[in-house]
Amino acid sequence: MLYSEKVFDHFSNPRNVGEIPDANGIGEVGNAKCGDIMKMYLKIENGIIVDVKFKTFGCGAAIATSSMATEMIKGKSIDDALKLTNKAVVEALDGLPAVKIHCSVLAEQAVKSALSDYYTRLGVDPLPIVGPIGVVECEE
């Protein structure tokens, strides 16, 4: 399995690792069968993601996609973060092997899960905004 230099860089030197104690949006997604579990923490002020951190238990691709996703939404508006797609994460990493695409889907869903939590805490129904978060099937 060949990984791009960007995947290797984000796995070896992941950005935004950790927790945000006063996060106002926390999302966790994963599939215990695969072993990839991602937890995303957002600090949102005036509609802008001022800080984002993640904790991922999983393979190198899961860590790299989590790292890249946080880089892509940090400093952005909620609306921009909601437009994040797994395809954009894959492209930003210069590609992923087909059997690791599910990791990019998890990264997208972790961001959307955290945004859903943010809206729930505000008393807003997140479903029309964020949409349903599905189950990711993994390759064996």
Side-chain angles (χ1 to χ4, degrees):
M1 212 176 307
L2 290 175
Y3 289 110
S4 71
E5 296 232 357
K6 282 188 183 175
V7 172
F8 189 72
D9 179 41
H10 275 268
F11 167 67
S12 303
N13 308 291
R15 283 62 149 183
N16 308 306
V17 175
E19 296 179 37
I20 301 173
D22 60 342
N24 49 9
I26 300 172
E28 185 172 331
V29 296
N31 184 326
K33 188 173 143 215
C34 298
D36 294 327
I37 298 172
M38 295 180 185
K39 195 160 188 179
M40 197 75 61
Y41 301 82
L42 302 177
K43 182 67 179 173
I44 300 170
E45 292 174 7
N46 301 316
I48 302 294
I49 298 168
V50 294
D51 199 9
V52 55
K53 299 250 187 264
F54 78 92
K55 289 177 92 176
T56 292
F57 176 82
C59 65
I63 293 165
T65 56
S66 300
S67 173
M68 181 56 84
T70 62
E71 286 285 276
M72 293 173 76
I73 65 167
K74 194 171 190 175
K76 299 278 197 299
S77 70
I78 292 172
D79 287 345
D80 284 343
L82 284 169
K83 292 176 191 153
L84 180 76
T85 64
N86 76 294
K87 188 170 182 260
V89 173
V90 171
E91 286 172 4
L93 286 168
D94 294 335
L96 279 176
V99 297
K100 294 297 180 180
I101 294 295
H102 70 274
C103 295
S104 65
V105 174
L106 280 174
E108 173 189 340
Q109 291 188 345
V111 168
K112 291 183 175 168
S113 176
L115 288 167
S116 175
D117 179 57
Y118 171 74
Y119 280 114
T120 300
R121 291 173 190 227
L122 290 179
V124 176
D125 179 6
L127 198 56
I129 302 160
V130 180
I133 295 166
V135 174
V136 178
E137 293 301 318
C138 57
E139 302 285 329
E140 290 302 321

